[in-house]
Amino acid sequence: KAHGEQVREMCNALAQFANVTLLIPSRRTEGTPESFGLSPRVRVVRIPVIDTVRLGRIGFLFESLCFAIGAALYAFLRARDAVVLTREYGCASALSLCGLSVAWESHRGEWNTAVRLALVCGASIVAISNGLRLFYLSKGVSPDRTLVAPDGVNLAHYQNLPERVEARRLLSLPLERHIAIYNGHLHTWKGVGTLARAAQFLPENFLLLFMGGTDDDIEKFKKEYGNDQHIAIIGRKPDEERPLYLRAADIAVLPNTAKDLISLTYTSPLKLFGYMAAGTPIVASDLPSIREILSEKTAFFAQPDDPVSFAQKLTHVIEHPAEAQIRAKAAYSEVERYEWHKRSQHILDFLTATPGVKTQ
């Protein structure tokens, strides 16, 4: 999942500048940290928990509480001089209560008792978008204790990619069709339904590829849209294959909805930076969150939640290949600013400069 990829990439990048310990729950998971691509320079510590995630939301919350308490005890006893970066507000609260220097990385705009307690105890906020930062400033959080750090990309994954025709041959994709690809989850707020419904307004030689999703979401999506000849639902692909699929496509699509506040204002989609790095022309929903990264120089914008608008923009890109390539090249030039190691250095500079934060 995207959050796991983000944690991995941040740990690997931070390990270039600091000693990094990753705390994870001891519950059963798919694969190992090593098989997931975690650098050997990152020390992994498993915090004992009672594995109740499969019992539903209550089970998840109980395990999260166990993990937060265990992580706080470990850090307090073994790493009191460490700087803590966490995506979990429960951990941010527990670790702050122990007197550690904590930065909570916010992705969704939570504002609850745990968040407020962490802030009262001195935690800082790393927000993935300016929209998120403005939200926390409106809640009274000091500007000095907030940082905007959009998500990022590992450009090494996109080096030496073949040209589009060769990429299609390697993946056995049709050479004669125009291909637009979506990479990511199939949740409603991602706008995938809008893109799927755009299929009926596209020319016959168009193919929409949907890559990613959980098993349950893939099955539901296939039942709803799988019979459309314009649509191919190819499921999840390994890390090493996803850049090749992006390169094979004529267009990469980011159809986020405007009906969800996270999508509208807060998000910083990992897929977006991958699209930019692949050098593939981008069609995206015209949303404030997306406009923080893209502009008319780097992408084409469609009206969110409007299948006709997306179909028109997709067709426009195919009909204007020179313009599309100019914008794709501009997006690739921009994405270098968002490499993970630059993001991690930016966050470390913020943590060590924030009043009251230790420099170890």
Side-chain angles (χ1 to χ4, degrees):
K1 296 183 179 180
H3 67 268
E5 177 184 346
Q6 200 255 11
V7 169
R8 176 195 67 201
E9 295 293 346
M10 277 301 296
C11 285
N12 290 350
L14 285 166
Q16 299 178 47
F17 309 106
N19 295 321
V20 177
T21 299
L22 173 64
L23 305 185
I24 62 175
S26 62
R27 70 182 181 87
R28 183 181 304 172
T29 57
E30 295 180 6
T32 65
E34 294 75 22
S35 66
F36 191 53
L38 200 63
S39 168
R41 290 180 293 180
V42 178
R43 182 184 180 212
V44 178
V45 173
R46 296 181 182 273
I47 302 299
V49 296
I50 302 173
D51 192 353
T52 56
V53 165
R54 293 168 180 79
L55 300 181
R57 179 163 177 78
I58 297 299
F60 173 79
L61 291 174
F62 176 76
E63 182 174 313
S64 297
L65 176 62
C66 292
F67 177 68
I69 294 172
L73 287 173
Y74 173 87
F76 181 77
L77 295 173
R78 303 289 297 275
R80 295 190 64 177
D81 289 332
V83 172
V84 178
L85 179 64
T86 178
R87 289 176 52 129
E88 305 296 327
Y89 55 75
C91 288
S93 178
L95 288 156
S96 297
L97 279 170
C98 290
L100 280 83
S101 300
V102 176
W104 172 52
E105 186 170 318
S106 176
H107 287 245
R108 301 176 66 87
E110 294 95 342
W111 186 251
N112 53 38
T113 301
V115 172
R116 293 193 291 270
L117 179 59
L119 293 170
V120 167
C121 293
S124 301
I125 292 180
V126 175
I128 62 168
S129 68
N130 191 57
L132 262 181
R133 180 176 186 265
L134 292 175
F135 168 75
Y136 289 113
L137 294 183
S138 73
K139 297 295 185 180
V141 180
S142 169
D144 293 339
R145 302 204 71 90
T146 62
L147 173 74
V148 177
D151 273 325
V153 65
N154 187 339
L155 288 182
H157 294 165
Y158 296 86
Q159 291 178 353
N160 303 317
L161 290 176
E163 294 301 318
R164 184 159 291 115
V165 172
E166 179 60 20
R168 290 196 185 184
R169 287 198 178 104
L170 291 171
L171 297 170
S172 299
L173 293 174
L175 299 178
E176 71 282 1
R177 300 187 73 175
H178 300 308
I179 297 177
I181 191 168
Y182 168 85
N183 172 42
H185 274 295
L186 302 175
H187 303 323
T188 301
W189 71 271
K190 303 288 187 178
V192 288
T194 298
L195 179 58
R197 290 189 292 275
Q200 62 185 303
F201 305 107
L202 290 170
E204 278 299 317
N205 62 341
F206 251 95
L207 179 64
L208 301 180
L209 288 185
F210 290 86
M211 179 169 64
T214 64
D215 291 342
D216 288 344
D217 288 343
I218 291 170
E219 188 63 29
K220 292 176 184 177
F221 205 72
K222 283 182 176 179
K223 287 180 180 179
E224 189 164 3
Y225 302 109
N227 293 326
D228 193 314
Q229 294 184 351
H230 288 94
I231 291 175
I233 303 165
I234 60 176
R236 296 185 300 278
K237 298 297 178 182
D239 285 355
E240 61 272 14
E241 288 187 17
R242 290 199 295 270
L244 191 61
Y245 274 95
L246 295 179
R247 176 57 67 88
D250 296 291
I251 310 166
V253 191
L254 192 69
N256 281 43
T257 180
K259 299 176 181 179
D260 183 284
L261 188 59
I262 295 174
S263 174
L264 177 68
T265 308
Y266 299 159
T267 190
S268 179
L270 281 181
K271 66 175 71 64
L272 169 56
F273 303 99
Y275 291 176
M276 296 167 74
T280 303
I282 299 169
V283 171
S285 292
D286 195 352
L287 299 173
S289 58
I290 307 304
R291 287 275 188 176
E292 288 193 22
I293 307 298
L294 297 177
S295 69
E296 301 289 351
K297 294 181 178 180
T298 55
F300 299 85
F301 291 97
Q303 290 301 310
D305 307 301
D306 185 342
V308 174
S309 178
F310 269 92
Q312 290 171 344
K313 288 297 180 180
L314 293 173
T315 304
H316 176 89
V317 171
I318 295 300
E319 293 175 347
H320 298 81
E323 179 187 7
Q325 285 305 310
I326 289 172
R327 298 197 193 192
K329 289 179 180 178
Y332 182 83
S333 297
E334 286 284 320
V335 82
E336 293 180 354
R337 300 166 47 197
Y338 300 103
E339 287 189 272
W340 289 115
H341 75 271
K342 293 180 180 179
R343 182 182 197 265
S344 63
Q345 183 65 73
H346 188 40
I347 291 174
L348 281 175
D349 290 344
F350 167 70
L351 292 176
T352 56
T354 301
V357 176
K358 303 178 181 70
T359 58
Q360 287 89 342

